Amino acid sequence: MAAEHLILAALGTPLVGAVGIALSHRTPNWRETVTLTTAAALLLCVAALLPGVLAGARPALRLMEVLPGLDLAFAVEPLGMLFALVASGLWIVNSLYSIGYMRGNDEANQTRFYICFALAIAAALGIAFSANVFTLFVFYELLTLITYPLVTHHGSDKARNGGRTYLGLLVGTSVLFLLPALVFTWHVAGTTDFAPGGILGGRLDGLALAGLLALYMFGLGKAALMPFHRWLPAAMVAPTPVSALLHAVAVVKAGVFSVVKVVVYVFGLDGLAGSADWLVAVAGFTILAASVVALNADNLKRRLAYSTVSQLSYVVLAAALLAPLSVVGAALHIAAHALGKITLFFAAGAIYTAAHKTEVSQLDGIGRRMPWTMGAFAVGALSMIGLPPAAGFVSKWYMLSGAMAASHWLAVAVIVVSTLLNAGYFLPIVWRAFFRPVSAEDERHPHGEAPLPMVFALSLTAAGTLALFFSPDVPLALAQQMLRGLP
Amino acid sequence: MLAHFVDHFDYWAMIFLAMAGLFIVIARGNLIKKLVGLGIFQTSVYLLYVAPGKIVGGTAPIVAEGFRVYSNPLPHVLILTAIVVGVATLALGLALVVRIREAYDSIEEDEILRRDHAPEVTPSRGEGAGGKVVP
Amino acid sequence: MNLAAHLPALQVVLPLAAAPLAVLLRGRGAAFMLVTLAAWAAFAVSILLWLQVNASGPISYAIGSWAPPWGIEYRVDSLSALLLMLVCGIAAVVLPYARASIERELRQDVHYLFYAMFALCLAGLAGIAITGDAFNLFVFLEISSLSSYVLIALGRDRRALVAAYQYLIMGTIGATFIVVGVGLLYLKTGTLNLADMGVRLQEMTSHRPVLAALAFLTVGISLKLALFPLHQWLPNAYAYAPSAVSAFLAATATKVSVYALLRFYFSVFGETAVFKRLPMEDLMLILALAGMFVASAVAIFQHDLKRLFAYSSVAQIGYIVLGISFDSVTGLTATIAHLVNHAVTKGGLFLLLGAVMAGMGGVTLARVHGIGRVMPLTAFGIVLCGLGLIGVPGTAGFVSKWYLILAALEKGQWWLVFLIVASSLLAVAYVWRFVEAAYFHAPRADLATVREAPAGLAIPAWTLVGATIWFGLDTSVTVGSAARAAAMLLGGAP
C-alpha cells in the first residue's frame, strides 16, 4: 500500500470503527470487539508509516481545496509521526481499560462513549498529520467538540458546569486567538503550510512577531498555559478513561504538539530568536504555580490534573528555549509524559473502581491490597519527577541540557525547583500506599485489585514507561529528524 | 426666500404630507389610524413623481399636428402602478386589522400588547377568533 | 422559438403564473404539485442561467423586446445569478417540506392560498434579483412583501397577526423610502434603468438630490434587510409565522434586500459616490458591529428558540453589512459568501425547528428539554446548524468569517478582528443554551414518547444541513461566485 493510502487509512479507520460501534450498539461484546479491532488496525496503519518516515520519506496527501490556496492536506513529518504513534498506541490500551472501567462502574450511554472516543482519535490523527496550520485548526476545533460529550458524559449539573468551562475556555481561546493568528499567518506569508525553518521568512519582527507568537501560544489553549488552564481541572468530571485520554493522550498532547509544531515549522527556531523570552517566563511560572496547587490538592484526580498543567508547560518551556537539544526534549516529553500520565490516571480509576476512593488522604496502605496498581503508580510518579529508570528522565535530561547550552539559567532553575515540587506531591502518595497501615475503617471493607482488563492496561503502560527509558531510540530518532530539516 | 418657497411649493407639499403621514403612523396607537397615516405618507410620494412630469405649456402626450411640447407620461404610469400597490397594501392592512380585532377584541396597540402579556390569556387563538385551529 | 434565449423571463414568469393557477385549481394537492413544479423549474432555470453567466458573461434580456434603457431590462450577472440560484433553490427545498408542515399548522381550506402566496413571494424575490430597472425592482419588492405579510399572518398563534401588521407598516415605510430614492434618481437622470442610471450619475455625484436619494435608499433598504436598529419587525415575524414560512423568509427575504443594497451602492452610485462623499463606511461599520453584539446578546436571553434564532439572524446580518463597509473585494466576497452560507444554515435551522414544533408542540427552551433523547436526529441537526452560526471550521459559517477577518486584516484593523471573533463567542453562548436544554435535561413526562420527525420534514431539513457542511468544505460555488461578483461590483471584470 502506498504511503498516501496509509494516511487515508489511518484517518478513516476510526471513522469506520465509529460506524461499526454505532451499528453494534445492541450487543456490548461485539461493540467492544469492534473498538479493539479498530484500534489495532489503526496502530498497524500508523506503524506501517514509521519505517518510511525514519528513512526520510515525507508522504503527503491533499484531500481538498477548501478556499483558494488553502487545502485540507496532510503530510507525515517526524513529530507528527511520534504524536500519531503515541495516540494510536495508547488508544488500544485505553480501550482495554475503558471496557473494564465502564462495565465495572455500570456507566450509561456506553455506545456514545466509544463512538466519541473513536472520533476523538480520528481528530487527534488529523492534527498529527496536518500539513498546514489551517488543517491543524480544523481538527483542533473538531477535537474540542467531539470530546465535549465525553467530558459531560454523566449529564449531571456538575458535568454541565465542567463542560461549560471546558468548552468556554478551549473554544474561547481558539476562536479569539488561534483563528486570528491563522488568518494573520496566511495574510503575511501567503501560505500556512508547515515547512522546516518556518514560513514567515523574516517578514515580521519585534512586537508583531511576539504578538503572533502570543496569539498562537494562548490560542492553543489545549496546552493549558496559565491563565487559560482552568479547563483541565474542570474536565475532571469526566469518567476516568476520558481523563486519561484528555490528559495523557489526545487533547493535551494535541495542544503541546501544536505548540512545538508551530514553533519549529511556522516560526522556525532561528526566526524567533529574542522574541520568545517572555514565553519562557510564562511557561516557567505555569510549571511552578501548577505544582504548588497540586501540592495542596487532596483529590487524586485534581492533583494529577495540575501535575499535567505543569508537565505540559515543560514542553512549552523547552520549545521556547529554541535550543535544538531542548526542542528534542520537548518532543520526547510528549511521548514520555503520555505514557507516565496515562499510567497514573489508570491507577486513579482502578482505585476508584475497586475501593471507591478519590482522595489522597484515604489511600493509607492501599498498596498492599492493590500491589500491581500502586506499583504502576510508582513507576508513573518516577517518570513525572524525572528519575531513572522512567522515561521522564530522558526527556528532562535533554531539556536541561538544552537550557544549559542556551545558558538560560532561569529555565534551569525552574526545572530544578519543579523537580523537587514534583517529588513533593507524588512521593507521599507512594509512601502512604505502601508504608502506612490500613485504617480501621478500611479493614471492614476488604477489596482486591480492579478488574483484570484495567490492571493489565495499567501494567502495560507502566512497562512502556520503563521501556522508553531503556530504549528511547525511535522517539529520539524522530525528534532529531524533525530538526535535521533545519538549516 | 419666499420666492424659493413658492417655486418649490410642490416639494413642500410633499414634505408636509410625508411628515404628517409618518407622524400619524408613529404617534397613533389605533391600528386603523396608522393605516390612514401610512396612506398619506404613500400619497406624498405620488406627488413627488407626478408634479415634475408636468411641463409648463405641454399637453397630453399624444402625437398630433400642432403640438410640440408634451408632458412626460412616464411618471404617471409609474404612479399608477404605485397606487395599485398602495391600494393592495391598504386592503391587506385592513384585512389584518379585522382579524386582529377578532382575535384580540381590540384595535388599540397598547391594549393588544397587554393582552399578549397578561398571564390568563392563552397564547393560541381561541374560539370566535376566526382562525379555527386544526389539530 | 428558442427557449434558452427566454430563460430570464421564464425565471419570473414560472412562479408568477403558478400563483393564479393555484388559486383557480383550488385543490390543495393540485396546487402543491403546480407550485412545486414551478419552483423546481425555476431552480433549473436559475442553474442554467448561472452556468451561462459563468461561461459567457452577463445576460441582458429586453422584456417585450423594448430595448433598454427605454424598456424594462432583465439583467443577469454573476451576483444576480447566484442570488437567483439561492432563492429558487431554497424554495425548491422548502416547498416539499411545506406540504408536510402546513398539514399540521394550517386549516385545509386555505392550503391552496398558501401555495399561491408562496409562488407570488418567490416570483417577487426572483424578480428583485433579476430586474435591471429601478421601478420594477420596487414593484417586485412589494409583490414579495405583500405575499410575505399574508404568509406570516397565517401563523397559528394570534400574535402572528400583530407581527404581520407590524411588518406591513415597517415594510411599507421602507418601500416608500425606496420609491422616494428612486424618484429622486429618476428626476436627476431621467432614466430608470439601473446601469444607465449608474453611467449618468458619474457626473453628478455631489448633487444634493443624489445624496438625498442615497440616504432614502439606504434607510428604506435597511428596513427591509433588518439592519440594526431597524430590525424590530423581524423577531416576531419569524417567531410566529408558520414553520415553512419562517424558513423561507429567513433564508431569502433579507438576503434579497442585501442584494438590492449592493446593486444600488455599487452598480448605480458607484463606489466613489457612496463611500467617499458620505461617511457610509463608518456608519455601516458601527451599525453592523452594534447589530452583531446587541442582537447576539439579546438572543442569549430568549426563551423561544424561534425568537432566539431570529435575533441571531439580525446579528448575522451585521456580519453581512460589515463586509460591505470594508469596501474591498475581500470584504464584498465575505458579504456575498455569507449571504449564501447564512441563508442555507438558517434555512435548515428553521426547518428543523418546524420539525421540533411538530413533534414537541412548541419551541420554547423549557419544552425542548431532553429533545436529544426523543428526537436525536433533529436535535443533532440543530446543533450542526448552530455550529455553522458560530463559524466552526468545516461549516459554511467558517468560510465567511475567514474572509471577514482577512478583509479586516487587509485594512490593518486589528481591533476589528478581535471584535469579529468575540461576537462569534456570543453565538457559542446562545447555541449552547439549546445544547444544554437538549442534552442535560430529561424530557417532560408527557413528551417522553415523542417520535423522530417524519421523513417529509426531515429530508428537506437535512438537505440544507448537508449543504451547510458541504459549503464549508467545498467552496468553489459559493466563494467562487462571490469573488467574481465582488470583483464585478468593484469595477473589475464581470
Side-chain angles (χ1 to χ4, degrees):
Chain A
M1 197 155 40
E4 288 73 31
H5 296 142
L6 277 176
I7 299 177
L8 205 57
L11 291 165
T13 306
L15 299 181
V16 176
V19 175
I21 294 166
L23 290 179
S24 55
H25 67 104
R26 283 184 204 288
T27 42
N29 286 335
W30 184 235
R31 179 185 67 201
E32 265 80 302
T33 314
V34 174
T35 303
L36 288 174
T37 317
T38 313
L42 176 65
L43 183 59
L44 280 181
C45 287
V46 174
L49 280 165
L50 181 63
V53 173
L54 281 175
R58 297 288 178 268
L61 171 74
R62 197 165 147 275
L63 207 58
M64 57 169 72
E65 189 178 46
V66 174
L67 294 171
L70 211 58
D71 296 333
L72 208 55
F74 303 98
V76 186
E77 45 73 53
L79 186 64
M81 187 71 235
L82 180 63
F83 178 40
L85 267 181
V86 170
S88 57
L90 290 180
W91 186 31
I92 301 186
V93 192
N94 201 336
S95 303
L96 208 62
Y97 180 84
S98 301
I99 295 168
Y101 183 91
M102 298 305 271
R103 292 188 174 188
N105 289 302
D106 232 356
E107 296 274 355
N109 295 322
Q110 295 195 16
T111 304
R112 185 182 74 193
F113 174 88
Y114 289 111
I115 292 176
C116 288
F117 229 110
L119 294 177
I121 295 296
L125 284 178
I127 294 175
F129 290 156
S130 54
N132 51 40
V133 189
F134 171 70
T135 310
L136 188 138
F137 178 70
V138 170
F139 284 96
Y140 183 92
E141 292 287 59
L142 284 182
L143 184 60
T144 309
L145 294 172
I146 293 165
T147 46
Y148 174 77
L150 290 173
V151 171
T152 59
H153 184 82
H154 290 308
S156 59
D157 283 353
K158 209 172 145 222
R160 186 191 62 197
N161 293 338
R164 277 184 188 168
T165 314
Y166 181 74
L167 200 80
L169 271 175
L170 287 188
V171 172
T173 50
S174 70
V175 167
L176 269 181
F177 307 128
L178 186 55
L179 180 57
L182 164 62
V183 185
F184 193 48
T185 308
W186 165 257
H187 180 62
V188 171
T191 174
T192 68
D193 291 349
F194 293 118
I199 53 173
L200 294 177
R203 269 169 288 227
L204 287 179
D205 51 11
L207 199 62
L209 188 64
L212 183 60
L213 182 68
L215 283 179
Y216 269 116
M217 292 305 122
F218 291 117
L220 291 163
K222 291 192 170 85
L225 210 54
M226 276 185 184
F228 300 110
H229 66 286
R230 288 270 317 131
W231 64 270
L232 224 161
M236 281 302 152
V237 295
T240 306
V242 176
S243 305
L245 170 87
L246 296 183
H247 300 110
V249 192
V251 177
V252 294
K253 287 303 167 310
V256 286
F257 164 77
S258 305
V259 165
V260 177
K261 193 137 172 169
V262 164
V263 167
V264 175
Y265 292 116
V266 172
F267 291 96
L269 295 187
D270 299 330
L272 262 183
S275 299
D277 287 340
W278 65 270
L279 186 58
V280 175
V282 172
F285 174 79
T286 305
I287 294 175
L288 296 179
S291 298
V292 171
V293 177
L295 204 55
N296 294 315
D298 189 35
N299 183 293
L300 182 56
K301 275 177 82 177
R302 189 176 154 80
R303 190 176 286 196
L304 293 182
Y306 273 99
S307 152
T308 305
V309 173
S310 103
Q311 296 281 332
L312 290 176
S313 276
Y314 277 125
V315 181
V316 179
L317 178 106
L321 286 174
L322 306 176
L325 271 179
S326 67
V327 176
V328 169
L332 278 181
H333 202 61
I334 291 179
H337 177 246
L339 277 166
K341 193 45 76 63
I342 203 170
T343 310
L344 292 173
F345 272 107
F346 281 172
I351 294 169
Y352 175 73
T353 307
H356 299 287
K357 285 181 178 143
T358 54
E359 309 301 307
V360 174
S361 52
Q362 297 170 329
L363 298 181
D364 290 356
I366 201 163
R368 265 162 279 165
R369 293 173 164 194
M370 306 175 73
W372 285 92
T373 303
M374 292 319 290
F377 189 95
V379 173
L382 288 182
S383 183
M384 291 302 117
I385 302 165
L387 293 177
F393 173 77
V394 185
S395 50
K396 224 171 209 177
W397 178 264
Y398 274 95
M399 288 193 253
L400 204 55
S401 322
M404 288 181 174
S407 312
H408 210 305
W409 303 113
L410 174 71
V412 174
V414 165
I415 294 175
V416 171
V417 173
S418 70
T419 302
L420 294 177
L421 285 169
N422 289 344
Y425 60 80
F426 273 124
L427 291 183
I429 303 178
V430 178
W431 179 74
R432 201 184 264 276
F434 284 105
F435 301 108
R436 285 272 282 265
V438 180
S439 72
E441 167 69 21
D442 285 347
E443 290 285 11
R444 287 193 292 278
H445 304 284
H447 62 82
E449 280 283 4
L452 191 65
M454 298 171 77
V455 179
F456 180 65
L458 58 87
S459 310
L460 210 58
T461 52
T465 308
L466 297 177
L468 202 59
F469 170 79
F470 291 109
S471 66
D473 304 343
V474 171
L476 203 57
L478 287 172
Q480 280 164 344
Q481 273 205 16
M482 166 180 81
L483 292 179
R484 209 170 297 151
L486 296 174
Chain B
M1 182 64 216
L2 189 68
H4 183 266
F5 179 81
V6 172
D7 280 351
H8 294 89
F9 77 96
D10 50 338
Y11 289 107
W12 287 107
M14 181 250 155
I15 291 170
F16 173 74
L17 282 179
M19 289 306 113
L22 263 186
F23 177 78
I24 297 173
V25 173
I26 296 165
R28 293 292 144 181
N30 185 302
L31 299 187
I32 301 273
K33 287 183 184 166
K34 276 181 186 287
L35 287 177
V36 172
L38 199 64
I40 297 174
F41 180 49
Q42 285 180 298
T43 310
S44 71
V45 184
Y46 306 162
L47 292 182
L48 174 75
Y49 274 70
V50 174
K54 166 73 181 167
I55 291 170
V56 179
T59 68
I62 303 165
V63 180
E65 265 322 299
F67 298 106
R68 322 211 68 188
V69 184
Y70 302 106
S71 284
N72 185 355
L74 188 60
H76 297 76
V77 180
L78 296 178
I79 286 314
L80 209 54
T81 317
I83 290 173
V84 174
V85 169
V87 170
T89 310
L90 183 64
L92 179 57
L94 288 173
L96 281 173
V97 175
V98 171
R99 295 288 295 274
I100 289 174
R101 158 116 165 78
E102 285 171 355
Y104 287 87
D105 214 20
S106 169
I107 55 167
E108 292 294 327
E109 198 175 24
D110 44 359
E111 178 71 21
I112 291 166
L113 290 179
R114 199 164 64 237
R115 287 186 191 202
D116 267 336
H117 290 292
E120 69 274 337
V121 177
T122 49
S124 68
R125 249 180 271 176
E127 273 308 302
K132 281 173 195 64
V133 176
V134 178
Chain C
M1 190 175 86
N2 183 6
L3 200 62
H6 293 282
L7 284 179
L10 278 177
Q11 181 75 88
V12 179
V13 167
L14 279 171
L16 197 60
L21 281 177
V23 176
L24 289 176
L25 285 173
R26 292 195 76 95
R28 56 199 176 100
F32 165 74
M33 289 300 290
L34 181 75
V35 172
T36 308
L37 282 181
W40 285 356
F43 186 37
V45 168
S46 68
I47 293 175
L48 290 176
L49 284 174
W50 184 74
L51 292 173
Q52 209 172 323
V53 167
N54 280 350
S56 50
I59 305 165
S60 172
Y61 179 84
I63 292 284
S65 303
W66 294 88
W70 298 284
I72 291 174
E73 179 195 14
Y74 278 8
R75 192 176 169 78
V76 190
D77 56 26
S78 42
L79 179 59
S80 37
L82 185 67
L83 256 286
L84 287 171
M85 211 157 65
L86 172 72
V87 171
C88 298
I90 299 278
V93 175
V94 170
L95 269 166
Y97 175 95
R99 183 180 169 80
S101 169
I102 63 172
E103 203 68 48
R104 293 170 170 79
E105 296 184 15
L106 298 186
R107 320 200 304 265
Q108 293 199 343
D109 56 329
V110 300
H111 282 189
Y112 73 102
L113 291 173
F114 171 89
Y115 292 120
M117 280 299 146
F118 198 101
L120 267 189
C121 193
L122 172 60
L125 293 173
I128 297 173
I130 204 171
T131 190
D133 181 279
F135 203 81
N136 200 231
L137 188 144
F138 158 72
V139 174
F140 277 124
L141 187 72
E142 281 296 30
I143 291 178
S144 71
S145 301
L146 285 169
S147 49
S148 61
Y149 306 146
V150 177
L151 287 171
I152 291 168
L154 284 172
R156 211 166 156 174
D157 193 303
R158 69 175 179 179
R159 280 171 290 186
L161 294 171
V162 183
Y165 180 88
Q166 282 172 339
Y167 186 19
L168 180 135
I169 298 283
M170 299 283 266
T172 307
I173 292 176
T176 311
F177 269 71
I178 295 173
V179 188
V180 174
V182 170
L184 289 173
L185 286 179
Y186 173 61
L187 291 179
K188 286 305 289 183
T189 60
T191 181
L192 284 170
N193 185 288
L194 290 171
D196 200 26
M197 230 181 220
V199 174
R200 295 188 190 199
L201 274 178
Q202 293 305 328
E203 300 119 49
M204 47 177 93
T205 46
S206 60
H207 293 203
R208 220 182 298 168
V210 176
L211 295 182
L214 170 63
F216 272 106
L217 284 168
T218 302
V219 174
I221 299 177
S222 298
L223 258 168
K224 301 296 291 187
L225 66 79
L227 175 63
F228 183 90
L230 302 173
H231 66 278
Q232 275 93 349
W233 59 269
L234 186 143
N236 281 342
Y238 285 7
Y240 301 123
S243 311
V245 176
S246 303
F248 183 62
L249 291 184
T252 56
T254 50
K255 310 299 177 292
V256 171
S257 303
V258 173
Y259 164 82
L261 192 70
L262 289 172
R263 194 46 91 197
F264 274 109
Y265 273 13
F266 296 99
S267 298
V268 175
F269 289 99
E271 46 150 350
T272 47
V274 181
F275 286 117
K276 306 300 180 265
R277 294 276 168 195
L278 292 178
M280 295 305 282
E281 274 180 64
D282 299 338
L283 184 71
M284 289 275 152
L285 180 69
I286 291 166
L287 291 183
L289 286 175
M292 281 155 58
F293 280 92
V294 177
S296 297
V298 174
I300 295 174
F301 294 101
Q302 296 303 313
H303 297 291
D304 181 304
L305 281 174
K306 275 176 101 174
R307 277 180 78 86
L308 189 157
F309 287 115
Y311 275 106
S312 135
S313 279
V314 177
Q316 301 282 331
I317 286 162
Y319 287 115
I320 294 177
V321 174
L322 185 65
I324 299 178
S325 80
F326 288 127
D327 185 25
S328 66
V329 173
T330 316
L332 280 184
T333 306
T335 292
I336 299 165
H338 198 48
L339 209 81
V340 179
N341 291 339
H342 179 243
V344 170
T345 310
K346 204 42 91 54
L349 196 52
F350 273 107
L351 288 185
L352 288 166
L353 285 181
V356 173
M357 186 84 112
M360 311 286 275
V363 289
T364 54
L365 275 170
R367 200 176 259 274
V368 301
H369 275 180
I371 193 175
R373 221 165 299 168
V374 290
M375 299 174 81
L377 273 180
T378 307
F380 184 58
I382 295 178
V383 173
L384 282 183
C385 288
L387 296 180
L389 291 180
I390 297 169
V392 169
T395 64
F398 175 75
V399 176
S400 359
K401 208 161 73 178
W402 173 273
Y403 278 99
L404 270 183
I405 296 176
L406 202 57
L409 275 181
E410 279 175 5
K411 298 231 141 185
Q413 288 166 325
W414 266 104
W415 57 277
L416 205 50
V417 174
F418 285 107
L419 287 182
I420 294 169
V421 292
S423 77
S424 56
L425 288 183
L426 291 177
V428 178
Y430 61 71
V431 170
W432 238 255
R433 289 199 69 201
F434 170 78
V435 171
E436 293 188 349
Y439 294 99
F440 289 92
H441 292 278
R444 263 173 38 174
D446 55 326
L447 298 174
T449 54
V450 170
R451 297 251 145 252
E452 188 54 79
L457 298 179
I459 293 173
W462 276 90
T463 309
L464 290 187
V465 177
T468 301
I469 305 292
W470 179 256
F471 287 142
L473 295 175
D474 178 13
T475 58
S476 53
V477 173
T478 50
V479 172
S481 302
R484 276 195 300 276
M488 173 205 74
L489 285 175
L490 288 177

